């Protein structure tokens, strides 16, 4: 990405510059009703999508070295579609068929629905949180005697393992896929007015690809407290933070910024 002033240097002039281009560090939406496209049309903004991180499978031979006995567990915790896909890939390569009495704990309805791609679900064996890991904890507390398997990435949040440890719940963590930086070399000479990040891995990918990245007039948007912390730890200024009480989504927070900026520039 194009360079500019010293990393993290305060730049009050940045707020005076309208946002005309946004880079969303996620894959291109598969539907035409993305809220980002609504922002693009409403405010005449060019919005690009580019995944900053990629998922690589952990090879079956590597997985076997960890000696994880899948069938010795009575429940599986899923926090993402990637976890679902790679877990059943491992099962297939292991020639394991999941028993009918296995219980599944999913962080959200979306993950639970996606699980049906691989198995026929029985309601009494499926447990779903509202949206966050904390919501799921309340469900797991009611099933403390299960032996949980937590398939995950090499980069994951600490909240679920810490909860299981603190409550002395039997569990095994299994790394079944890896999160790595995508190749962004084609963006070397490209500058955006705003870049939206959704995980600390996205910030890491930025500096892996562009070690000398300078923020200058680029507004940095971050979703979630861990991403916000990663932005600040990298020496960048955080301009847009989501979720907010009046804007629970990234697009909502960006729109609030744009509207506030318009009012400020009119004064």
């Amino acid at each position: 990405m194009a360079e500019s002033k010293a990393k993290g240097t305060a730049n009050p002039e940045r707020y005076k510059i309208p946002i005309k281009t946004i880079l969303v560090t996620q894959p291109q939406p598969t539907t035409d009703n993305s809220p980002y496209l609504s922002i693009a049309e409403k405010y005449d903004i060019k919005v690009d999508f580019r995944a900053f991180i990629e998922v690589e499978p952990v090879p079956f031979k590597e997985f076997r070295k960890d000696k994880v006995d899948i069938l010795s567990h009575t429940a599986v915790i899923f926090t993402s579609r990637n976890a679902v896909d790679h877990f059943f890939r491992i099962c297939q390569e292991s020639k394991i068929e999941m028993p009918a009495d296995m219980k599944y704990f999913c962080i959200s309805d979306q993950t639970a629905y996606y699980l049906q791609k691989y198995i026929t679900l029985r309601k009494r064996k499926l447990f779903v949180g509202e949206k966050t890991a904390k919501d799921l904890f309340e469900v797991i507390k009611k099933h403390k005697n299960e032996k949980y398997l937590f398939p995950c990435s090499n980069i994951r949040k600490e909240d679920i393992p810490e909860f299981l440890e603190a409550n002395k719940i039997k569990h095994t963590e299994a790394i079944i896929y890896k999160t790595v930086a995508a190749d962004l070399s084609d963006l070397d000479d490209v500058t955006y007015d705003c870049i939206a990040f959704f995980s600390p891995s996205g910030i890491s990918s930025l500096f892996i690809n562009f070690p000398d990245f300078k923020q200058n007039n680029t507004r940095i948007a971050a979703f979630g407290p861990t991403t916000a912390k990663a932005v600040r730890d990298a020496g960048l200024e955080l301009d847009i933070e989501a979720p907010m009480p009046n804007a629970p989504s990234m697009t909502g927070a960006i729109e609030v910024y744009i509207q506030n900026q318009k009012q400020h520039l009119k004064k």
Side-chain angles (χ1 to χ4, degrees), residues 26-35 37 49 81:
Q26 289 185 327
Q28 179 83 28
T30 56
T31 62
D32 295 330
N33 60 350
S34 167
L37 302 182
F49 298 87
R81 291 185 177 187

Side-chain angles (χ1 to χ4, degrees), residues 80-91:
S80 70
R81 291 185 177 187
N82 282 326
V84 173
D85 282 335
H86 288 282
F87 174 75
F88 284 98
R89 170 185 61 82
I90 291 291
C91 287

